[in-house]
Amino acid sequence: MITLALFHNQEGAENAINELSRNGFALKDIQVVMKNKEADAHDGEDQLGKLINLGLSQEEALIYEIEIKAGAILLGVPFYSASAVTIQDILERHKASQIRLINRNSQ
């Protein structure tokens, strides 16, 4: 299972990542998807594939991709049921939007 959240500024994303780390979430497990300033068409396809691999449908991935291309930063934080509330609280505290819990096994 994974929690996805969008940030519209780098500071909020970095602060959320730091707080998640302080609360025991491994940095290596936190996935970050953001606009590549030197992206070409192939990179865009790779990005869409990464979003689908996170557990999004193609339609949902396209919506997130539009946000990312506009400069948003997407965080993906794996969780177990006991940690979902902690993650959501941290993300909300740092002004995340479109917070979504996804059970990748049921997609």
Side-chain angles (χ1 to χ4, degrees):
M1 295 188 284
I2 191 165
T3 302
L4 297 180
L6 281 175
F7 288 86
H8 293 282
N9 65 65
Q10 187 172 341
E11 181 181 6
E14 288 175 355
N15 290 338
I17 290 168
N18 290 334
E19 187 172 347
L20 288 162
S21 177
R22 287 192 304 272
N23 279 274
F25 295 92
L27 290 175
K28 67 177 182 63
D29 293 335
I30 299 171
Q31 299 178 42
V32 179
V33 181
M34 56 193 298
K35 182 178 179 180
N36 179 350
K37 293 180 182 175
E38 298 176 12
D40 59 19
H42 184 274
D43 290 333
E45 291 172 14
D46 289 346
Q47 189 174 68
L48 186 61
K50 287 178 188 177
L51 293 170
I52 292 169
N53 286 337
L54 289 175
L56 295 170
S57 68
Q58 185 166 356
E59 181 179 315
E60 294 167 321
L62 287 170
I63 293 168
Y64 277 96
E65 183 181 42
I66 290 167
E67 291 282 345
I68 293 164
K69 284 182 178 180
I73 300 167
L74 178 68
L75 293 188
V77 185
F79 71 93
Y80 300 98
S81 59
S83 63
V85 173
T86 300
I87 294 169
Q88 187 163 350
D89 288 346
I90 291 169
L91 296 173
E92 287 175 351
R93 191 168 25 261
H94 295 287
K95 309 290 188 237
S97 65
Q98 298 184 33
I99 299 171
R100 179 134 184 258
L101 307 177
I102 296 177
N103 182 349
R104 292 190 277 190
N105 296 329
S106 66
Q107 295 291 318

